Amino acid sequence: MSSARIVVVGTGYVGLTTGACLASLGHRVTCADVDVAKVNRLSAGRVDILEPGLAELVSRGLANGRLSFVVGAREAVRSAEGVFLCVPTPMGAGGSADLRAVEAVTAEIGDVLPPGCALITKSTVPVGTAKRIQAMVGRDDVPVVSNPEFLREGTAVQDFLNPDRIVVGSDSHAAAAWVGQLYGDLAAPVVVADAASAELVKYAANCFLALKLSYVNSIAELCERLGADIDLVTEGMGYDRRIGRTFLKPGPGWGGSCLPKDTSALVKVAESVDYDFRMLTSAIDENIAQRDRIVAKIAGACGGTLAGARIGVLGLAFKAGTNDLRDSPALAVSSVLGALGAEITAYDPAVSGGIAGMTVVDDPYQVAKDADVVVVLTEWAEFRNLDWVAIADAMEGDDVVDTRNLLDPGMILDAGLSWQGVGRPRAARRRVPVS
Ligand code: UDX
């Protein structure tokens, strides 16, 4: 397709990735944000988000003139052919998605959109939002299209440019198809749907992933109780193509900016049409139970009580490869540990600065100093390569709780420490015989 004039409203993870990637596909993209300082930084090529490849795409787009940043969307949209809404839709009161930002932008730009311009929702929005926006805009000549994103943090650029599928939905088939064509030659199937179906695809997919993870965490718990090994169980399950090999790793619970808010939002959406989505509420409850089981395991490693225990935490981000702390399971576990009286020293390669209730250090070995237990909460690969003998020497106790099954238990044993993972047999420290 030829180059289109696109405006992206909102320059968070989704908006900036969308804008920079669409510019890299040849479109002329203006990204609008209300944050003046952020627009200035981005215009100078400074990207605050840790997202591989994103800063390079932004620099390239600025240099070749296909990408620009402006404050406020109203002027920018006057000559647009398509406007992507990428503003936050956080979890609002009671678990529903908070649509105030989407509504505010719609009100700001609705009357100045050129005839025929597609208004496209990219942020995850409840089913029915496209219809609501259409009513708010109140114009027959502006089609509203849902085009949900399926970007994982840490691989957002890669995911955008190599999608499994592109979903576009609108009551105007032509507008949906036009948005599908913006993705040009990306080799992915395009699902053209009605707006409600496209909106539901996003929730259905994310909630399925959450169900899958809660299921795996439950099976991991069974493994511990039955003396089985989750690594072998998931390997055996994963070869079944109907199940697939990914998203089968147990952990301290699932988190991040999407799965917690999307699961709560879909429960609310279901309630609004009198459906009690018990399977999904169970998955959410199970996620809290998983956090509590991890806390209990750490308490056990501390001899049964967390009061006064010194815990060294490795990893704070909600997953490796990002500095995002939103709904991080690592923070959820740490905050319960702190509430139960533990003293926490934490290190994350991508996180610096103060976090309430803990001391954040910039050296992984500092967390080990005098620690009763060291806990791995985020699966940063570099934790595997730490000098575990030096960690063992610095620690007061000798237990490592690896909530991501990241470390090689043999290596931990060789360092003179005990290892416990999730759903795997414990590897107890080899006691040196006293002669
Ligand atoms: C997710 C969806 O994957 C993406 O399609 C959507 O657009 C946004 O939400 P993201 O939030 O970046 O992406 O994280 P994801 O990689 O999906 O991980 C979510 C949580 O599940 C993290 O806390 C992660 O650590 C956990 N997880 C993931 C596991 O515990 N085990 C796994 O096997 C995979």
Side-chain angles (χ1 to χ4, degrees), residues 149-153 213 247 249 255 258 318-319 404:
E149 50 85 16
F150 301 99
L151 310 175
R152 289 163 302 169
E153 285 183 30
L213 292 177
F247 251 73
K249 280 203 75 82
C258 292
F318 84 93
K319 64 175 184 179
R404 297 284 190 164

Side-chain angles (χ1 to χ4, degrees), residues 292-314:
D292 292 343
R293 283 194 292 266
I294 296 292
V295 169
K297 187 173 282 201
I298 298 166
C302 291
T305 176
L306 287 161
R310 285 184 300 268
I311 313 279
V313 163
L314 289 172

Side-chain angles (χ1 to χ4, degrees), residues 153-293:
E153 285 183 30
T155 51
V157 170
Q158 158 84 10
D159 289 347
F160 192 101
L161 297 175
N162 302 280
D164 288 337
R165 77 299 207 186
I166 289 155
V167 177
V168 282
S170 175
D171 297 337
S172 157
H173 188 276
W178 180 81
V179 175
Q181 282 170 37
L182 291 175
Y183 295 87
D185 298 332
L186 299 183
V190 178
V191 179
V192 181
D194 58 277
S197 300
E199 288 169 337
L200 191 53
V201 167
K202 178 58 194 285
Y203 283 106
N206 269 4
C207 293
F208 187 78
L209 294 173
L211 286 171
K212 195 174 179 186
L213 292 177
S214 278
Y215 182 78
V216 165
N217 286 334
S218 297
I219 296 291
E221 178 60 19
L222 276 185
C223 284
E224 288 190 17
R225 294 180 189 216
L226 298 170
D229 184 335
I230 191 70
D231 269 10
L232 300 172
V233 173
T234 50
E235 187 184 353
M237 287 167 66
Y239 284 117
D240 186 327
R241 277 183 293 248
R242 293 167 301 175
I243 296 172
R245 301 183 67 182
T246 54
F247 251 73
L248 283 181
K249 280 203 75 82
W254 38 268
S257 63
C258 292
L259 300 194
K261 91 175 159 62
D262 292 352
T263 43
S264 296
L266 191 57
V267 167
K268 284 285 161 195
V269 166
E271 271 173 18
S272 75
V273 286
D274 283 331
Y275 179 63
D276 179 7
F277 204 153
R278 276 175 294 182
M279 193 192 285
L280 195 51
T281 41
S282 297
I284 297 169
D285 292 345
E286 174 53 35
N287 203 37
I288 296 166
Q290 180 68 3
R291 179 202 65 192
D292 292 343
R293 283 194 292 266

